[in-house]
Amino acid sequence: MKASSSIEETDDASPLSEQQKQRTLGELRFRFRSSALKQSPSSDALLHDGEEEDFLEEEDQLARYVEPPELPTLAMHKVFGALFWAMTFYCWYKVIGYFFVPLGIYFTSLVSPAFVRTKQKGVRETVIEESSGSTHLSAFAKREENAAKSVNEDVYRREHAEQVGIVVAMYAFLISAIFIFPPFFLFFAPFEWIKYLFLFYVAWYFVLDRDACEKGTRFLGWTRRLPFWRLAAGYFPVRLHKSADLDPSKNYIFGYHPHGVISVGALLTFASEATGFANAFPGIDVRLLTLSVNFFFPFTREVLMALGINSVTRSSVEKNLLRVKSSAAKKPRGNAVVIVVGGANEAMDAHPGTAILTLAKRKGFVRLALKTGATLVPVFAFGENDIFDQVENPEGGVLRAFQKRVKSLIGITPPAFYGRSLSRGVLRRFFGKRGVLPKRQSIEVVFGKPLEIKEKPYGNDQIPEDIVDKYHKEYVNALRNLYELHRKSFHRMKRTDSFEDFASRQKKMQPIRFK
């Protein structure tokens, strides 16, 4: 399939406002210009006749970009977002005291663009007059052009401020859910009954509701269509590309690679509609799987299950794949789970420009596919490793040994990572350009072709090891081919809407390695 159905001729000297207009309108697409590839600034090397034939052959095999749906922001979304932030601010203030107020005001200024509703101006058209067979701009038209450029820049800055606000708000929720909400409800709640209600809730989910995160229950589809997901995905941006359609009568196991530091691409692709998963694969009910320890935290577990995120256990995979959606259905169909196969070990190798995958000995997901009859689908997220930098942690080093020790104790690897700073203001003067925000590097989530399991589901029968090795080898080869095909081809794409030179990053990426 071709990655783009139409080509637009673009003059190298086109005004900057046109690029800003495309960003503003959200037309995030890859564009091929096969007739102008030799002069394309995206390619450092010229394409000769034989190379162009290879390129055209590869173009037919490339994954196709999927246009995401519109997720409009309503007034009630802004109101509920502002209420959430006000409640979070109050909890921090009660737990920390007056020391939090200056910091709270600063962070409120960062997130406020995402919650304050403003009327955005549209893009103004430039007036062009024709005289004596030539096209020229009158003085009035030039003023209109400058005004339109100013409007485009304002819209772009506004959109960027909203995206940063949403990312900061997501950070605030995660930190609050772990460190602030529990002590607030236990020791700082304004009424005594709130503490006992919180204790009852914790006892209930530890004793009676502990396995709910393995059943795919309490999923609320509307949570994936909330507009803040669009802003979060647009921050990088995250985009979805598919190589083939998927039959909704079958079940699937998506293998997501690489893990990255926190698997941002997996969250925004499979737990939201920001990239258009439902449009790309209609009829597929997907569940993203994560570590069971993430469901130990109060409130966070409810949010995860509402988004359709479950624990990555053998029992969870089987229950979600074999789940019958309705009493009228005779057998499970259209179910899918997403496993970030490399896990915490792979997170330690998440350095920009690398593709080091912990996969050589990971065969459990293949066994589950053979047991349930699910089809395997390799997924590679180009750019997942690029949004954060990590402190060098070579094998045999002190930091790597410490990370492995922590993982053996709690199951989570603490990566020593950093990104970009929060703003260009006071904090940047003290801490420089490094900070906790992820870098604005695009993440291209590419779905490979499904790998059919020809054997009948083994169920509870013993699965021969040679069958497991056979399908594991086929999966590894399919993933390697998916990576190499798109690693070579992405840098030949003429992009007119990027926030950074994704092409140069792709050309520097190292060959894929398996551990």
Side-chain angles (χ1 to χ4, degrees):
M1 291 187 180
K2 294 186 178 182
S4 178
S5 58
S6 64
I7 315 299
E8 290 188 7
E9 293 296 334
T10 306
D11 189 355
D12 290 340
S14 59
L16 184 61
S17 60
E18 286 300 316
Q19 294 185 9
Q20 293 173 336
K21 180 178 178 180
Q22 289 180 5
R23 292 171 181 165
T24 303
L25 298 177
E27 296 177 355
L28 301 176
R29 295 184 180 92
F30 286 110
R31 308 191 182 218
F32 280 108
R33 294 197 310 171
S34 56
S35 62
L37 277 173
K38 296 179 182 180
Q39 291 81 26
S40 172
S42 297
S43 297
D44 291 341
L46 297 178
L47 289 180
H48 301 289
D49 294 338
E51 292 175 329
E52 186 150 349
E53 291 180 4
D54 294 339
F55 166 73
L56 294 175
E57 183 179 350
E58 288 179 353
E59 182 183 345
D60 291 331
Q61 303 176 27
L62 287 175
R64 174 166 50 89
Y65 169 66
V66 176
E67 189 77 31
E70 291 292 334
L71 301 176
T73 302
L74 305 178
M76 67 175 182
H77 296 138
K78 298 278 189 178
V79 171
F80 281 108
L83 290 175
F84 156 75
W85 185 258
M87 183 195 71
T88 303
F89 189 104
Y90 175 74
C91 292
W92 278 77
Y93 165 72
K94 294 294 291 184
V95 173
I96 299 179
Y98 288 105
F99 295 104
F100 170 72
V101 173
L103 194 61
I105 294 175
Y106 170 72
F107 283 109
T108 300
S109 68
L110 291 176
V111 303
S112 59
F115 300 143
V116 177
R117 187 174 178 82
T118 59
K119 184 177 181 180
Q120 294 188 359
K121 301 178 182 180
V123 178
R124 303 172 65 178
E125 298 295 335
T126 302
V127 179
I128 299 180
E129 297 180 355
E130 295 187 3
S131 176
S132 303
S134 63
T135 303
H136 68 278
L137 291 178
S138 66
F140 174 76
K142 290 180 179 179
R143 289 196 298 271
E144 287 291 300
E145 182 186 22
N146 293 333
K149 183 177 180 179
S150 177
V151 169
N152 291 337
E153 291 175 349
D154 289 343
V155 172
Y156 175 73
R157 283 196 296 267
R158 172 70 191 179
E159 185 181 65
H160 175 62
E162 290 180 342
Q163 293 166 352
V164 171
I166 286 297
V167 173
V168 172
M170 293 173 71
Y171 269 94
F173 172 76
L174 292 175
I175 297 173
S176 301
I178 298 173
F179 300 107
I180 298 298
F181 291 158
F184 170 80
F185 285 107
L186 285 175
F187 307 109
F188 300 97
F191 304 104
E192 190 73 10
W193 59 269
I194 295 179
K195 179 178 77 171
Y196 293 112
L197 185 63
F198 175 75
L199 291 173
F200 174 79
Y201 162 70
V202 173
W204 167 72
Y205 82 69
F206 266 108
V207 177
L208 301 176
D209 197 54
R210 194 168 185 174
D211 62 344
C213 58
E214 297 181 350
K215 301 177 180 178
T217 58
R218 299 216 284 275
F219 167 55
L220 301 175
W222 59 267
T223 60
R224 292 183 176 179
R225 297 187 294 272
L226 291 172
F228 77 85
W229 291 119
R230 171 182 55 82
L231 293 172
Y235 173 88
F236 299 96
V238 182
R239 291 183 280 254
L240 186 154
H241 312 258
K242 70 173 184 177
S243 300
D245 295 327
L246 298 182
D247 185 354
S249 66
K250 299 179 180 179
N251 298 326
Y252 299 90
I253 294 179
F254 295 102
Y256 184 88
H257 314 269
H259 183 283
V261 173
I262 51 178
S263 299
V264 170
L267 174 67
L268 293 173
T269 301
F270 297 103
S272 80
E273 283 303 316
T275 61
F277 179 89
N279 289 358
F281 308 110
I284 305 298
D285 184 12
V286 65
R287 297 290 187 272
L288 175 62
L289 306 184
T290 184
L291 292 174
S292 300
V293 69
N294 293 320
F295 296 90
F296 291 165
F297 302 104
F299 308 117
T300 303
R301 69 189 301 270
E302 309 303 331
V303 173
L304 294 178
M305 286 190 288
L307 292 170
I309 301 177
N310 282 198
S311 61
V312 61
T313 62
R314 186 181 301 273
S315 173
S316 176
V317 173
E318 294 178 4
K319 289 177 181 177
N320 278 290
L321 287 176
L322 301 178
R323 184 179 67 254
V324 178
K325 298 179 182 178
S326 64
S327 57
K330 296 182 180 180
K331 62 178 183 179
R333 54 187 295 171
N335 296 324
V337 296
V338 184
I339 301 176
V340 185
V341 181
N345 283 331
E346 196 170 271
M348 291 185 285
D349 294 313
H351 295 276
T354 64
I356 304 174
L357 306 185
T358 304
L359 183 61
K361 299 180 181 179
R362 297 285 173 101
K363 302 179 181 180
F365 70 104
V366 178
R367 290 190 178 90
L368 288 169
L370 289 166
K371 183 176 182 178
T372 61
T375 299
L376 292 169
V377 180
V379 181
F380 195 94
F382 292 87
E384 181 70 67
N385 284 346
D386 296 338
I387 61 175
F388 288 107
D389 290 294
Q390 277 202 73
V391 178
E392 290 298 325
N393 56 344
E395 289 285 353
V398 176
L399 179 57
R400 180 66 70 110
F402 170 76
Q403 291 173 326
K404 289 182 176 180
R405 178 59 178 169
V406 174
K407 181 185 177 296
S408 66
L409 294 175
I410 62 176
I412 299 177
T413 303
F417 69 93
Y418 57 91
R420 58 180 286 242
S421 61
L422 283 168
S423 70
R424 297 180 179 179
V426 177
L427 291 183
R428 175 164 289 195
R429 293 181 180 275
F430 283 100
F431 301 104
K433 296 181 179 180
R434 296 180 179 180
V436 297
L437 279 184
K439 294 184 291 184
R440 302 194 74 189
Q441 305 280 15
S442 62
I443 301 176
E444 314 295 343
V445 182
V446 183
F447 287 71
K449 296 180 180 179
L451 178 62
E452 298 286 347
I453 302 294
K454 299 178 181 179
E455 279 76 9
K456 293 182 179 180
Y458 280 85
N460 294 323
D461 296 338
Q462 183 70 26
I463 303 175
E465 199 63 29
D466 59 329
I467 299 296
V468 175
D469 293 338
K470 169 190 170 183
Y471 282 102
H472 181 266
K473 183 177 180 180
E474 289 183 12
Y475 180 89
V476 171
N477 289 335
L479 181 63
R480 179 186 286 110
N481 293 337
L482 179 72
Y483 175 84
E484 293 299 337
L485 171 64
H486 291 84
R487 181 172 75 99
K488 294 176 182 177
S489 302
F490 271 0
H491 78 273
R492 296 172 178 168
M493 294 180 179
K494 172 65 177 176
R495 298 185 63 220
T496 59
D497 52 15
S498 62
F499 295 108
E500 83 300 315
D501 189 2
F502 180 70
S504 64
R505 289 196 290 118
Q506 287 302 105
K507 291 167 63 177
K508 295 177 182 178
M509 287 192 70
Q510 301 175 9
I512 195 169
R513 288 173 48 199
F514 299 103
K515 295 174 62 176

